[in-house]
Amino acid sequence: MKTQVAIIGAGPAGLMLGHLLELYGIDSVILENRSKEYVIDRVRAGVLEQHVVDLMVRTGVGSRLMKEGLRHEGVHIAFGGTRRRIDFVEHTGKAIWVYGQNEVVLDLIDAREAQGLPLHFEVEGVAVHDIDSEHPSVTYRHEGAEFRLQADFIAGCDGFHGISRPAFPSELLRGFERVYPFAWLGILAHAAPSSEELVYSLHERGFALFSMRTPEITRLYLQCAVDDDIANWPDERIWSELQVRLGTSDGWRPNEGEIFQKSLTPMRSFVAEPMQCGRLFLAGDAAHIVPPTGAKGLNLAVADVRVLAHGLSAFYDGAGERVLRGYSETCLGRIWKAQRFSWWMTQMLHRQSESVDFDLRRQMAELDYVTSSKAAMTSLAENYVGLDLDIPMPRGVE
Ligand code: APR
Ligand code: PHB
């Protein structure tokens, strides 16, 4: 079996890469080790930068996003009993969209299947070979048979725990990591969102975040212990913590409703350098992880694959590997800025371990500054809506 680009992983990175390559006229095969249902049902974050929304709409996978996505022109930050708003449009001219990552994944799977393009779920034993040659390959098992897929290039879009990053020689790869001493408990509840925009809150009991999915579903998060157990969090405890941490003195508080999903998310910052080894390229969570406080994970994954698809199209247009060789450097500039922003939001909004009261006072002062200085609000807003990405759209896309 042969293809031009073998893609490992059907998360947002792998699926969007396959979609872009199709627009560039480049063949690909996507291999995913989980089932289709698992990939579609996996609940993740839900904030899209304008560049992701524009890309989805302009490349023909944005019609449900336009109908069901929620455009947000600002965000609230709550501390000391008050809520302050930062207006994205006023400060940057851009907005963000709330639309679950699993909805993005569903739209991309639907588009790929409608075009009859190869996307295999529940493959096992995926391994990469000869990545230093011009003829790399991927072996795997599917429905009881063994396969070898020959390709010109391999895209490792297989997340943080995938097999692609470990295939780099250890002397080539350098990892940069910070693990935070807390986690997030996230819930989905059948409750109408009581604010039209997100509310990030720092309270002396810890961080909390109010978000949403639809006009009927509220998404909420609470800072909890790094080794916490979901069994420690019966519904009543979750609601009472959320009310205390999010409620403000003007009487605003989240609406309550039936909780139908609960999960714990560890918090980590990680970057692998470089993101290319021979003909194997890493994209998305395979190469970097951000703590969710800056809402950057999916957006960075999409930025990576735009850069990669552009480099691959230059190769097939006869430019050789020159553009592709710049892949790591082009991506890492944006990634480190997003890492900085995600770390900064995280340290500013979370109660530090064994909390030192000095830190809490310092964080309150920072929040006061960030929500009152025009310069600081502009800085937060331009990072939150996403820094500019100077990659052309595929040919033929208006
Ligand atoms: N073989 C095939 N597929 C694999 C393998 C493997 N050995 N290992 C992992 N995978 C699959 C996973 O099951 C998953 O579907 O690769 C996919 C990686 O997808 P994501 O984890 O969603 O990562 P990515 O596409 O880079 O998207 C980044 O995901 O984690 C969130 O918040 C993060 O929004 C960000 C986004
Ligand atoms: C979400 O809606 O899931 C969400 C929003 C903002 C974040 C993280 C997650 O920073």
Side-chain angles (χ1 to χ4, degrees), residues 159-238:
F160 186 65
H161 300 288
I163 54 94
S164 299
R165 196 178 64 253
F168 278 46
S170 55
E171 62 279 10
L172 176 71
L173 197 72
R174 191 155 172 216
F176 300 83
E177 185 170 44
R178 173 174 294 247
V179 177
Y180 298 87
F182 39 76
W184 278 15
L185 169 72
I187 62 159
L188 284 167
H190 290 297
S194 58
S195 158
E196 285 189 359
E197 292 171 342
L198 272 56
V199 183
Y200 286 85
S201 173
L202 172 63
H203 187 273
E204 62 182 22
R205 295 182 65 84
F207 169 82
L209 170 60
F210 167 94
S211 180
M212 66 206 67
R213 284 295 175 269
T214 69
E216 295 83 36
I217 296 176
T218 302
R219 174 85 167 139
L220 295 143
Y221 297 95
L222 277 171
Q223 175 182 352
C224 62
V226 70
D227 54 355
D228 225 322
D229 186 334
I230 221 120
N232 296 333
W233 290 91
D235 295 4
E236 311 74 65
R237 181 175 174 214
I238 293 176

Coordinates of all heavy atoms in Angstrom, one line a residue, residues 159-238:
G159 N -0.9 12.7 19.5 CA -1.1 13.1 20.9 C 0.2 12.9 21.8 O 1.2 12.4 21.4
F160 N 0.0 13.3 23.1 CA 1.1 13.3 24.0 C 1.6 11.8 24.2 O 2.8 11.6 24.5 CB 0.7 13.9 25.3 CG 1.8 14.1 26.3 CD1 2.9 14.9 26.0 CD2 1.8 13.4 27.5 CE1 3.9 15.1 26.9 CE2 2.8 13.5 28.4 CZ 3.9 14.4 28.1
H161 N 0.7 10.8 24.2 CA 1.1 9.5 24.6 C 1.3 8.6 23.3 O 1.4 7.4 23.4 CB 0.0 8.8 25.5 CG -0.1 9.6 26.7 ND1 0.8 9.5 27.8 CD2 -1.1 10.4 27.2 CE1 0.4 10.3 28.8 NE2 -0.8 10.9 28.4
G162 N 1.5 9.2 22.2 CA 1.6 8.4 20.9 C 3.0 7.8 20.7 O 3.9 7.9 21.6
I163 N 3.2 7.2 19.6 CA 4.4 6.5 19.3 C 5.4 7.3 18.5 O 6.6 6.9 18.3 CB 4.2 5.1 18.6 CG1 3.3 5.3 17.3 CG2 3.5 4.1 19.5 CD1 4.1 5.4 16.1
S164 N 4.9 8.4 17.9 CA 5.8 9.1 17.0 C 7.0 9.8 17.7 O 8.1 9.7 17.2 CB 5.0 10.2 16.2 OG 4.0 9.5 15.5
R165 N 6.7 10.6 18.7 CA 7.8 11.3 19.4 C 8.8 10.3 19.9 O 10.0 10.6 19.7 CB 7.2 12.2 20.5 CG 8.2 13.3 21.0 CD 7.6 14.2 22.1 NE 7.3 13.5 23.3 CZ 6.0 13.2 23.7 NH1 5.0 13.6 23.0 NH2 5.8 12.6 24.8
P166 N 8.4 9.2 20.6 CA 9.5 8.2 21.0 C 10.3 7.6 19.9 O 11.3 7.0 20.1 CB 8.6 7.2 21.8 CG 7.4 7.8 22.1 CD 7.1 8.8 21.0
A167 N 9.8 7.8 18.6 CA 10.6 7.2 17.5 C 11.8 8.1 17.1 O 12.6 7.7 16.3 CB 9.7 7.0 16.3
F168 N 11.8 9.4 17.7 CA 13.0 10.2 17.4 C 14.2 9.7 18.2 O 14.0 9.2 19.4 CB 12.7 11.6 18.0 CG 11.9 12.5 17.1 CD1 10.8 12.1 16.4 CD2 12.3 13.9 16.9 CE1 10.0 13.0 15.6 CE2 11.6 14.7 16.1 CZ 10.5 14.3 15.4
P169 N 15.4 9.7 17.7 CA 16.5 9.3 18.5 C 16.7 10.2 19.7 O 16.5 11.4 19.6 CB 17.7 9.5 17.5 CG 17.2 9.9 16.2 CD 15.7 10.2 16.3
S170 N 16.9 9.6 20.8 CA 16.9 10.4 22.1 C 17.9 11.5 22.1 O 17.7 12.5 22.7 CB 17.0 9.5 23.3 OG 18.2 8.8 23.1
E171 N 19.0 11.3 21.3 CA 20.0 12.4 21.4 C 19.6 13.6 20.5 O 20.1 14.7 20.7 CB 21.4 11.9 20.9 CG 21.5 11.4 19.5 CD 21.0 9.9 19.3 OE1 20.4 9.4 20.2 OE2 21.2 9.4 18.2
L172 N 18.6 13.4 19.7 CA 18.1 14.5 18.9 C 17.1 15.4 19.6 O 17.0 16.6 19.5 CB 17.5 14.0 17.6 CG 16.8 15.0 16.6 CD1 17.9 15.9 16.0 CD2 16.0 14.3 15.6
L173 N 16.3 14.7 20.4 CA 15.1 15.3 21.0 C 15.3 15.9 22.3 O 15.9 15.3 23.2 CB 14.0 14.2 21.1 CG 12.6 14.7 21.3 CD1 12.0 15.3 20.0 CD2 11.7 13.6 21.8
R174 N 14.9 17.2 22.5 CA 14.9 17.8 23.8 C 13.5 18.1 24.3 O 12.8 18.7 23.5 CB 15.8 19.1 23.7 CG 16.2 19.6 25.0 CD 17.4 20.4 25.0 NE 17.5 21.0 26.3 CZ 18.0 22.2 26.6 NH1 18.4 23.0 25.6 NH2 18.0 22.7 27.8
G175 N 13.2 17.8 25.5 CA 11.9 18.1 26.0 C 12.0 19.1 27.1 O 12.9 19.1 27.9
F176 N 11.0 20.1 27.1 CA 11.0 21.1 28.1 C 9.6 21.0 28.8 O 8.6 21.0 28.2 CB 11.0 22.5 27.5 CG 12.3 22.7 26.7 CD1 12.4 22.2 25.3 CD2 13.4 23.4 27.2 CE1 13.5 22.4 24.6 CE2 14.5 23.5 26.5 CZ 14.6 23.1 25.2
E177 N 9.6 20.9 30.1 CA 8.4 20.5 30.8 C 8.2 21.2 32.2 O 9.2 21.5 32.9 CB 8.4 19.0 31.1 CG 7.2 18.5 31.7 CD 7.1 17.0 31.7 OE1 8.1 16.3 32.1 OE2 6.0 16.4 31.4
R178 N 6.9 21.5 32.4 CA 6.6 22.0 33.8 C 5.3 21.3 34.1 O 4.3 21.3 33.4 CB 6.3 23.5 33.7 CG 5.8 24.1 35.0 CD 5.8 25.6 35.0 NE 7.1 26.1 34.9 CZ 7.7 26.8 35.9 NH1 7.0 27.1 37.0 NH2 8.9 27.3 35.8
V179 N 5.3 20.7 35.3 CA 4.0 20.0 35.8 C 3.5 20.8 36.9 O 4.3 21.2 37.8 CB 4.3 18.5 36.2 CG1 3.1 17.9 36.7 CG2 4.9 17.7 35.0
Y180 N 2.2 21.1 36.9 CA 1.7 22.0 37.9 C 1.1 21.2 39.1 O 0.7 20.1 38.9 CB 0.5 22.9 37.3 CG 1.1 23.8 36.2 CD1 1.2 23.3 34.9 CD2 1.5 25.0 36.5 CE1 1.7 24.1 33.9 CE2 2.1 25.8 35.5 CZ 2.1 25.3 34.2 OH 2.7 26.1 33.2
P181 N 1.2 21.8 40.3 CA 0.8 21.0 41.5 C -0.7 21.1 41.8 O -1.2 21.1 42.9 CB 1.5 21.8 42.6 CG 1.7 23.2 42.2 CD 1.7 23.1 40.7
F182 N -1.5 21.1 40.7 CA -3.0 21.1 40.8 C -3.6 20.5 39.6 O -2.9 20.4 38.5 CB -3.6 22.5 41.2 CG -2.9 23.6 40.4 CD1 -3.2 23.8 39.1 CD2 -2.0 24.5 41.1 CE1 -2.5 24.9 38.4 CE2 -1.4 25.5 40.4 CZ -1.6 25.7 39.1
A183 N -4.9 20.2 39.6 CA -5.6 19.7 38.4 C -6.9 20.4 38.3 O -7.2 21.2 39.1 CB -5.8 18.2 38.6
W184 N -7.6 20.1 37.2 CA -9.0 20.7 37.0 C -10.0 19.5 37.0 O -9.8 18.5 36.4 CB -9.1 21.3 35.6 CG -8.6 22.7 35.4 CD1 -7.8 23.4 36.3 CD2 -8.9 23.6 34.3 NE1 -7.5 24.6 35.8 CE2 -8.2 24.8 34.6 CE3 -9.6 23.5 33.2 CZ2 -8.2 25.9 33.7 CZ3 -9.6 24.6 32.3 CH2 -8.9 25.8 32.6
L185 N -11.1 19.8 37.8 CA -12.2 18.9 37.7 C -13.2 19.6 36.7 O -13.6 20.8 37.0 CB -12.9 18.8 39.1 CG -14.2 18.1 39.1 CD1 -14.1 16.6 38.9 CD2 -14.9 18.3 40.5
G186 N -13.6 19.0 35.7 CA -14.5 19.6 34.7 C -15.8 18.9 34.7 O -15.9 17.7 34.9
I187 N -16.9 19.7 34.5 CA -18.3 19.0 34.4 C -19.0 19.6 33.3 O -18.8 20.8 32.8 CB -19.1 19.2 35.7 CG1 -19.4 20.7 36.0 CG2 -18.5 18.5 36.9 CD1 -20.6 20.9 36.9
L188 N -20.0 18.9 32.7 CA -21.0 19.4 31.8 C -22.3 19.2 32.6 O -22.6 18.2 33.2 CB -21.0 18.6 30.5 CG -19.9 18.8 29.5 CD1 -19.9 17.7 28.5 CD2 -20.1 20.2 28.9
A189 N -23.2 20.3 32.5 CA -24.4 20.2 33.2 C -25.6 20.7 32.3 O -25.4 21.6 31.5 CB -24.4 21.1 34.5
H190 N -26.7 20.1 32.5 CA -27.9 20.5 31.8 C -28.4 21.8 32.5 O -29.3 21.7 33.4 CB -29.0 19.5 31.8 CG -28.7 18.3 30.9 ND1 -28.5 18.4 29.5 CD2 -28.5 17.0 31.2 CE1 -28.2 17.2 29.0 NE2 -28.2 16.4 30.0
A191 N -27.8 22.9 32.2 CA -28.2 24.2 32.8 C -28.0 25.3 31.8 O -26.9 25.3 31.1 CB -27.4 24.4 34.1
A192 N -28.9 26.2 31.7 CA -28.7 27.3 30.7 C -27.6 28.2 31.2 O -27.5 28.5 32.4 CB -30.0 28.1 30.7
P193 N -26.6 28.6 30.4 CA -25.5 29.4 30.8 C -26.1 30.7 31.4 O -26.9 31.4 30.7 CB -24.7 29.7 29.5 CG -25.1 28.6 28.6 CD -26.5 28.2 29.0
S194 N -25.6 31.1 32.6 CA -26.1 32.4 33.2 C -25.3 33.6 32.8 O -25.7 34.7 33.2 CB -26.2 32.2 34.7 OG -24.9 32.0 35.2
S195 N -24.3 33.4 32.0 CA -23.6 34.6 31.4 C -23.4 34.3 29.9 O -23.2 33.1 29.5 CB -22.2 34.7 32.1 OG -21.3 35.5 31.3
E196 N -23.4 35.3 29.1 CA -23.2 35.1 27.7 C -21.7 34.8 27.4 O -21.3 34.4 26.3 CB -23.6 36.3 26.9 CG -25.2 36.3 26.8 CD -25.7 37.4 25.8 OE1 -24.8 38.1 25.2 OE2 -26.9 37.5 25.7
E197 N -20.8 35.2 28.3 CA -19.4 35.0 28.0 C -18.7 34.2 29.2 O -19.3 34.1 30.3 CB -18.7 36.4 27.9 CG -19.2 37.1 26.6 CD -18.7 38.6 26.5 OE1 -18.4 39.2 27.5 OE2 -18.8 39.1 25.4
L198 N -17.5 33.8 28.9 CA -16.8 33.0 29.9 C -16.4 33.8 31.1 O -16.2 35.0 31.0 CB -15.5 32.4 29.3 CG -15.5 31.1 28.6 CD1 -16.5 31.1 27.5 CD2 -14.1 30.7 28.1
V199 N -16.3 33.2 32.3 CA -15.9 33.8 33.5 C -14.7 33.0 34.1 O -14.9 31.9 34.5 CB -17.0 34.0 34.6 CG1 -16.5 34.7 35.8 CG2 -18.3 34.6 34.0
Y200 N -13.5 33.6 34.1 CA -12.4 33.0 34.8 C -12.3 33.6 36.2 O -12.3 34.9 36.3 CB -11.1 33.4 34.1 CG -10.8 32.6 32.8 CD1 -11.4 33.1 31.6 CD2 -10.0 31.5 32.7 CE1 -11.1 32.5 30.4 CE2 -9.8 30.9 31.5 CZ -10.3 31.3 30.4 OH -10.1 30.7 29.2
S201 N -12.2 32.8 37.2 CA -12.2 33.4 38.6 C -11.0 32.9 39.5 O -10.7 31.7 39.5 CB -13.5 33.0 39.3 OG -13.5 33.4 40.6
L202 N -10.5 33.8 40.2 CA -9.5 33.4 41.3 C -10.2 33.7 42.6 O -10.6 34.9 42.9 CB -8.2 34.2 41.2 CG -7.3 34.0 42.4 CD1 -6.8 32.5 42.5 CD2 -6.0 34.9 42.3
H203 N -10.3 32.7 43.4 CA -10.9 32.8 44.8 C -9.9 32.3 45.7 O -9.0 31.4 45.3 CB -12.2 32.1 44.8 CG -13.0 32.2 46.1 ND1 -12.8 31.5 47.2 CD2 -14.0 33.1 46.4 CE1 -13.6 31.8 48.1 NE2 -14.3 32.8 47.7
E204 N -10.0 32.7 47.0 CA -9.0 32.1 47.9 C -9.1 30.6 48.1 O -8.1 29.9 48.4 CB -9.0 32.8 49.3 CG -10.3 32.6 50.0 CD -10.3 33.4 51.4 OE1 -9.5 34.3 51.5 OE2 -11.1 33.0 52.2
R205 N -10.2 30.0 47.7 CA -10.4 28.5 47.7 C -9.8 27.9 46.4 O -9.8 26.7 46.3 CB -11.8 28.2 47.9 CG -12.3 28.6 49.3 CD -13.8 28.2 49.5 NE -13.9 26.7 49.5 CZ -13.7 26.0 50.6 NH1 -13.4 26.5 51.7 NH2 -13.9 24.7 50.5
G206 N -9.5 28.7 45.4 CA -8.9 28.2 44.2 C -9.6 28.7 43.0 O -10.5 29.5 43.0
F207 N -9.0 28.3 41.8 CA -9.5 28.7 40.5 C -10.9 28.1 40.2 O -11.2 27.0 40.6 CB -8.5 28.3 39.4 CG -8.9 28.4 38.0 CD1 -8.9 29.6 37.4 CD2 -9.4 27.3 37.3 CE1 -9.2 29.7 36.0 CE2 -9.8 27.4 36.0 CZ -9.7 28.6 35.3
A208 N -11.7 28.8 39.4 CA -12.9 28.2 38.8 C -13.1 28.9 37.5 O -12.7 30.0 37.2 CB -14.1 28.4 39.7
L209 N -13.8 28.2 36.5 CA -14.1 28.7 35.2 C -15.5 28.3 34.8 O -15.9 27.2 34.9 CB -13.1 28.1 34.2 CG -13.3 28.3 32.7 CD1 -13.4 29.8 32.3 CD2 -12.3 27.6 31.8
F210 N -16.2 29.4 34.4 CA -17.5 29.2 33.8 C -17.4 29.2 32.3 O -16.9 30.2 31.7 CB -18.4 30.3 34.3 CG -19.8 30.4 33.6 CD1 -20.9 29.8 34.1 CD2 -19.9 31.2 32.5 CE1 -22.1 29.9 33.5 CE2 -21.1 31.3 31.8 CZ -22.2 30.6 32.3
S211 N -17.9 28.2 31.6 CA -18.0 28.2 30.2 C -19.3 27.5 29.7 O -20.2 27.3 30.6 CB -16.7 27.5 29.6 OG -16.8 27.5 28.2
M212 N -19.4 27.2 28.5 CA -20.7 26.7 28.0 C -20.5 25.9 26.7 O -19.4 25.9 26.1 CB -21.6 27.8 27.7 CG -21.2 28.7 26.6 SD -21.8 30.4 26.6 CE -21.0 31.0 28.1
R213 N -21.5 25.2 26.3 CA -21.4 24.5 25.0 C -22.6 24.9 24.1 O -22.4 25.0 22.9 CB -21.5 22.9 25.2 CG -20.2 22.4 25.7 CD -19.1 22.5 24.7 NE -17.8 22.1 25.2 CZ -16.9 22.8 25.8 NH1 -17.1 24.1 25.9 NH2 -15.8 22.4 26.3
T214 N -23.8 25.0 24.7 CA -25.0 25.4 23.9 C -25.8 26.2 24.8 O -25.5 26.4 26.0 CB -25.8 24.1 23.5 OG1 -26.4 23.6 24.8 CG2 -25.0 23.0 22.9
P215 N -26.9 26.8 24.3 CA -27.8 27.6 25.2 C -28.5 26.8 26.3 O -29.1 27.3 27.2 CB -28.9 28.1 24.2 CG -28.2 28.1 22.9 CD -27.3 26.9 22.9
E216 N -28.3 25.4 26.3 CA -28.8 24.6 27.3 C -27.8 23.9 28.2 O -28.1 23.3 29.2 CB -29.7 23.4 26.7 CG -31.0 23.9 26.0 CD -30.7 24.3 24.6 OE1 -29.8 23.6 24.0 OE2 -31.3 25.2 24.1
I217 N -26.5 24.0 27.8 CA -25.4 23.3 28.5 C -24.3 24.2 29.0 O -23.7 24.9 28.2 CB -24.9 22.2 27.6 CG1 -25.9 21.1 27.3 CG2 -23.7 21.5 28.3 CD1 -25.5 20.0 26.3
T218 N -24.1 24.1 30.3 CA -23.0 24.9 30.9 C -21.8 23.9 31.2 O -22.0 22.8 31.5 CB -23.5 25.4 32.3 OG1 -24.6 26.3 32.1 CG2 -22.4 26.3 32.9
R219 N -20.6 24.5 30.9 CA -19.4 23.7 31.1 C -18.6 24.5 32.3 O -18.4 25.7 32.2 CB -18.5 23.8 29.9 CG -17.1 23.2 30.0 CD -17.2 21.7 29.8 NE -15.9 21.1 29.6 CZ -15.5 19.9 30.1 NH1 -16.4 19.3 31.0 NH2 -14.4 19.4 29.9
L220 N -18.2 23.7 33.3 CA -17.6 24.4 34.5 C -16.4 23.6 34.9 O -16.3 22.4 34.8 CB -18.6 24.4 35.6 CG -19.8 25.3 35.4 CD1 -21.1 24.7 36.0 CD2 -19.6 26.7 35.9
Y221 N -15.4 24.3 35.4 CA -14.2 23.7 35.9 C -13.8 24.3 37.3 O -14.1 25.5 37.6 CB -13.0 24.0 35.0 CG -13.1 23.5 33.6 CD1 -13.6 24.3 32.6 CD2 -12.7 22.2 33.2 CE1 -13.7 23.9 31.2 CE2 -12.7 21.8 31.9 CZ -13.2 22.6 30.9 OH -13.3 22.2 29.6
L222 N -13.2 23.4 38.1 CA -12.7 23.8 39.4 C -11.3 23.4 39.6 O -10.9 22.2 39.3 CB -13.5 23.0 40.5 CG -14.8 23.4 40.9 CD1 -15.4 22.3 41.8 CD2 -14.8 24.7 41.8
Q223 N -10.4 24.2 40.2 CA -9.1 23.7 40.6 C -9.2 22.7 41.7 O -10.0 22.9 42.7 CB -8.3 24.9 41.1 CG -6.9 24.5 41.6 CD -6.1 25.7 42.2 OE1 -6.5 26.9 42.0 NE2 -5.0 25.5 42.8
C224 N -8.5 21.6 41.6 CA -8.6 20.6 42.7 C -7.2 20.0 42.9 O -6.2 20.4 42.2 CB -9.6 19.4 42.3 SG -9.1 18.5 40.9
A225 N -7.0 19.1 43.8 CA -5.7 18.6 44.1 C -5.2 17.7 43.0 O -5.9 17.1 42.3 CB -5.7 17.7 45.4
V226 N -3.8 17.7 42.8 CA -3.2 17.0 41.7 C -3.5 15.5 41.7 O -3.7 14.9 40.7 CB -1.7 17.3 41.6 CG1 -0.9 16.7 42.7 CG2 -1.1 17.0 40.3
D227 N -3.7 15.0 43.0 CA -3.9 13.5 43.1 C -5.4 13.3 43.5 O -5.7 12.3 44.1 CB -3.0 13.0 44.2 CG -3.0 13.8 45.5 OD1 -3.8 14.8 45.5 OD2 -2.4 13.3 46.5
D228 N -6.2 14.2 43.2 CA -7.6 14.1 43.6 C -8.3 12.9 42.9 O -7.8 12.4 41.9 CB -8.4 15.4 43.3 CG -9.3 15.9 44.4 OD1 -9.9 15.0 45.0 OD2 -9.4 17.1 44.6
D229 N -9.4 12.5 43.5 CA -10.2 11.4 43.0 C -11.6 11.9 42.7 O -12.1 12.6 43.6 CB -10.2 10.3 44.0 CG -10.8 9.0 43.5 OD1 -11.7 9.1 42.6 OD2 -10.5 7.9 44.1
I230 N -12.2 11.5 41.6 CA -13.5 12.0 41.2 C -14.5 11.6 42.3 O -15.5 12.3 42.6 CB -13.9 11.5 39.8 CG1 -14.6 12.6 39.1 CG2 -14.7 10.3 39.8 CD1 -13.9 13.0 37.8
A231 N -14.2 10.4 43.0 CA -15.1 10.0 44.1 C -15.2 11.0 45.2 O -16.1 10.9 46.0 CB -14.6 8.6 44.6
N232 N -14.2 11.9 45.3 CA -14.2 12.9 46.4 C -15.2 14.0 46.0 O -15.4 14.9 46.8 CB -12.9 13.5 46.6 CG -11.8 12.5 47.1 OD1 -12.2 11.6 47.7 ND2 -10.6 12.8 46.7
W233 N -15.8 14.0 44.8 CA -16.6 15.1 44.4 C -18.0 14.7 44.0 O -18.4 14.7 42.8 CB -15.9 15.8 43.2 CG -14.6 16.5 43.6 CD1 -13.3 15.9 43.6 CD2 -14.5 17.8 44.0 NE1 -12.4 16.9 44.0 CE2 -13.1 18.1 44.3 CE3 -15.4 18.9 44.2 CZ2 -12.6 19.3 44.7 CZ3 -14.9 20.1 44.6 CH2 -13.6 20.3 44.9
P234 N -18.8 14.5 45.1 CA -20.2 14.3 44.8 C -20.8 15.6 44.2 O -20.2 16.7 44.5 CB -20.9 14.0 46.1 CG -19.8 14.3 47.1 CD -18.5 14.4 46.5
D235 N -21.9 15.5 43.5 CA -22.5 16.7 42.9 C -22.7 17.9 43.8 O -22.4 19.1 43.5 CB -23.9 16.4 42.2 CG -23.7 15.4 41.1 OD1 -22.6 14.9 40.9 OD2 -24.7 15.1 40.4
E236 N -23.2 17.6 45.0 CA -23.4 18.8 46.0 C -22.2 19.5 46.3 O -22.2 20.7 46.4 CB -24.0 18.3 47.3 CG -25.2 17.3 47.2 CD -24.7 15.9 46.8 OE1 -24.0 15.3 47.6 OE2 -25.1 15.4 45.7
R237 N -21.0 18.8 46.4 CA -19.8 19.5 46.8 C -19.3 20.3 45.6 O -18.8 21.4 45.7 CB -18.7 18.4 47.1 CG -17.4 19.1 47.5 CD -16.3 18.1 48.0 NE -15.1 18.9 48.2 CZ -13.9 18.4 48.0 NH1 -13.7 17.1 47.6 NH2 -12.8 19.1 48.2
I238 N -19.5 19.8 44.4 CA -19.1 20.5 43.2 C -19.9 21.8 43.1 O -19.3 22.9 42.9 CB -19.3 19.7 41.9 CG1 -18.4 18.5 41.9 CG2 -19.2 20.5 40.6 CD1 -18.6 17.5 40.7

